[in-house]
Amino acid sequence: MPDESENFPGGVGGNATAVPLLTPADGVPPVLDTAAEIADAAERLAAGSGPLAVDAERASGFRYSNRAYLIQLRRKGSGTVLIDPIPVDGALTPLAEVINELEWVLHSADQDLPGLAELGLRPARLFDTELGGRLAGFERVGLAAMVEKLLGRELRKGHGAADWSTRPLPADWLNYAALDVELLPELRDAVAEVLAEQGKTDWAAQEFEHVRTSEPGPPKAERWRRTSGIHTLRRTRQLAIVRELWNTRDQLARGRDVAPARILPDSAIIAAAEADPKSVAQLRALPVFGGPRQRRYSREWLGAVERARALAESQLPTLTQPYDGPPPVNRWERRDPEAAGRLTAARAAMADLSGRYTIPVENLLTPDLVRRLCWDGLPEFRSGGRPDDPEQAIDDFLKSGGARPWQRELAVPRLAEALFPPAS
């Protein structure tokens, strides 16, 4: 177990002497988009050494899917490889055979792994520099901030939020993409050194493995309730209109692989729910629906409103979202003051651990798991009793919720003390 410390590394300002990194050392490589080029790149990467730096560019906010539109790879002795996976997604087997056996280095790996897995690319081992930075206690864990702090180089912000489904990709975008992996192998070693100094190497390894092996969870129930502005609606029939329009938009967006907000903005859905249009003309008189892009779907939008209008009262959604698990925390004090007291005590214990080990609270245990524990996680909370072995009972609950061994080692004793204090 590492020494406890009150000092978060990386808590000071940027490196005033950081050297700007404007172009890759070996120049921007060509984008590979044929089967022959992929096979050649696989051979080059196989001849390299050490871990493989990996990044992927998506088109979030532009496309519905989470697919990768550019893949960046870099390995010592092999240089940087840029791949357009769209024309060659059926010819990546030679690449997968090489790189799937390697340790991958990514920054915020959970963002890119799902899209890469769709292409058959999955790492045998993982090092996540962003997650490693969190565990090491860095206050700023963006790629540029960590490169500046640990390597003394300046990575300037570029085109991360661009539409990477654009073809051809502009030269300055490719320069930005190549730079994203230019220093990842060095950053990996620097973060690993900090983790080793803090005695957190094994903790990080457990977290990296958890990210590597995690499967995507099921879609959240009633996602339509996240429509911006829905809190202004006060009638269940209005919510039904939101639900039908949201589902119609989602189907259209999925079919066209376009981000839903580019099909129809949330503000238009709320406006239609408030107005309840009875005809195409009334619909088109509303903001946005009269525009050229939306007019082509007027019948679909009006059909959604009509379906909501035809629902029986028993089929309407509830005003508030049903929840699976504990209610919202702001209701605890009224519904179960004892559970609210447990949560306050548990949060204080976790905050203390966070300060002592320089790890963000949410990385020690997920807030949802702590809430579930405090609400009704143990039978004794309802019976008013005390487990024969509080630590074992809490450990079993946290383990069933996916907490890793290092997390339970730290949290269980503190939570047991907080939730079952010794009798005075």
Side-chain angles (χ1 to χ4, degrees), residues 21 24 46 49 82 117 120 123 191 219 240 243-244 270 287 334 360 368 373 400:
L21 183 62
S49 61
L82 301 181
V191 173
R243 181 175 63 187
E244 291 297 330
I270 299 301
R334 176 172 52 84
D368 179 68
L373 169 65
S400 69

Side-chain angles (χ1 to χ4, degrees), residues 94-344:
L95 180 70
E97 290 175 348
V98 171
I99 72 172
N100 285 11
E101 300 300 317
L102 303 177
E103 177 192 281
W104 290 12
V105 183
L106 292 98
H107 195 80
S108 196
D110 59 341
Q111 300 295 312
D112 292 331
L113 287 180
L116 293 169
E118 291 180 5
L119 299 171
L121 306 177
R122 301 176 179 84
R125 298 175 303 282
L126 175 68
F127 193 104
D128 186 332
T129 50
E130 189 264 355
L131 181 52
R134 291 184 182 277
L135 297 176
F138 284 92
E139 293 180 356
R140 299 169 61 216
V141 293
L143 179 61
M146 291 185 64
V147 164
E148 182 176 345
K149 182 66 180 179
L150 293 175
L151 303 180
R153 302 301 302 272
E154 179 188 352
L155 279 177
R156 296 180 178 174
K157 293 183 179 180
H159 307 281
D163 179 5
W164 287 89
S165 65
T166 300
R167 292 296 182 275
L169 288 167
D172 56 332
W173 294 18
L174 295 175
N175 184 79
Y176 162 85
L179 288 176
D180 267 357
V181 292
E182 180 86 1
L183 298 178
L184 264 186
E186 294 177 52
L187 183 63
R188 177 237 183 267
D189 292 343
V191 173
E193 183 177 349
V194 174
L195 291 169
E197 291 172 352
Q198 297 180 359
K200 297 175 180 176
T201 298
D202 181 60
W203 297 0
Q206 292 181 40
E207 289 303 286
F208 299 159
E209 184 66 5
H210 174 72
V211 172
R212 187 187 74 85
T213 58
S214 290
E215 295 293 334
K220 292 185 178 181
E222 300 195 340
R223 291 184 296 153
W224 58 270
R225 288 188 184 268
R226 301 184 66 181
T227 304
S228 179
I230 197 171
H231 66 282
T232 64
L233 305 179
R234 295 290 181 264
R235 298 196 298 274
T236 55
R237 187 72 61 181
Q238 292 175 323
L239 295 183
I241 294 175
V242 172
R243 181 175 63 187
E244 291 297 330
L245 284 171
W246 190 97
N247 286 332
T248 299
R249 181 183 69 174
D250 194 66
Q251 292 170 4
L252 291 171
R254 184 190 299 270
R256 294 178 54 195
D257 192 20
V258 175
R262 291 181 173 270
I263 298 286
L264 187 70
D266 284 2
S267 60
I269 292 178
I270 299 301
E274 292 173 334
D276 188 14
K278 306 300 190 297
S279 66
V280 168
Q282 291 182 6
L283 176 74
R284 289 180 174 177
L286 298 174
V288 178
F289 285 100
R293 287 193 298 176
Q294 280 73 31
R295 290 172 69 91
R296 60 189 291 201
Y297 297 116
S298 292
R299 286 309 315 171
E300 284 88 342
W301 303 135
L302 187 62
V305 174
E306 292 172 341
R307 287 194 299 273
R309 191 183 301 126
L311 292 174
E313 289 290 331
S314 61
Q315 297 174 303
L316 298 177
T318 57
L319 281 175
T320 58
Q321 182 173 8
Y323 42 81
D324 174 22
V329 172
N330 59 8
R331 303 181 190 176
W332 283 35
E333 188 64 44
R334 176 172 52 84
R335 293 192 53 179
D336 190 337
E338 292 185 358
R342 289 193 293 268
L343 183 60
T344 297

Side-chain angles (χ1 to χ4, degrees), residues 57-67 69 162-165 259:
E57 304 297 344
R58 295 166 288 125
S60 301
F62 297 91
R63 297 291 181 176
Y64 186 95
S65 66
N66 196 40
R67 71 186 304 174
Y69 284 94
D163 179 5
W164 287 89
S165 65

Side-chain angles (χ1 to χ4, degrees), residues 369-409:
L369 187 57
V370 175
R371 287 193 295 268
R372 289 175 181 270
L373 169 65
C374 294
W375 181 250
D376 60 1
L378 303 181
E380 289 78 8
F381 290 156
R382 295 299 171 218
S383 66
R386 180 185 179 92
D388 294 335
D389 187 341
E391 290 196 12
Q392 186 62 56
I394 293 173
D395 187 76
D396 290 343
F397 179 86
L398 297 182
K399 183 177 181 181
S400 69
R404 273 69 73 194
W406 76 270
Q407 294 175 315
R408 305 197 318 265
E409 178 186 357

Side-chain angles (χ1 to χ4, degrees), residues 1-2 4-5 8 131 134-137 200 203 206-207 210 346-370 398-399 401-415:
M1 181 179 296
E4 298 179 356
S5 170
F8 280 74
L131 181 52
R134 291 184 182 277
L135 297 176
K200 297 175 180 176
W203 297 0
Q206 292 181 40
E207 289 303 286
H210 174 72
R347 283 176 164 176
M350 298 307 297
D352 179 64
L353 282 176
S354 173
R356 289 180 179 273
Y357 292 99
T358 65
I359 296 176
V361 170
E362 62 271 20
N363 291 108
L364 287 169
L365 285 177
T366 63
D368 179 68
L369 187 57
V370 175
L398 297 182
K399 183 177 181 181
R404 273 69 73 194
W406 76 270
Q407 294 175 315
R408 305 197 318 265
E409 178 186 357
L410 287 185
V412 165
R414 303 295 178 90
L415 289 174

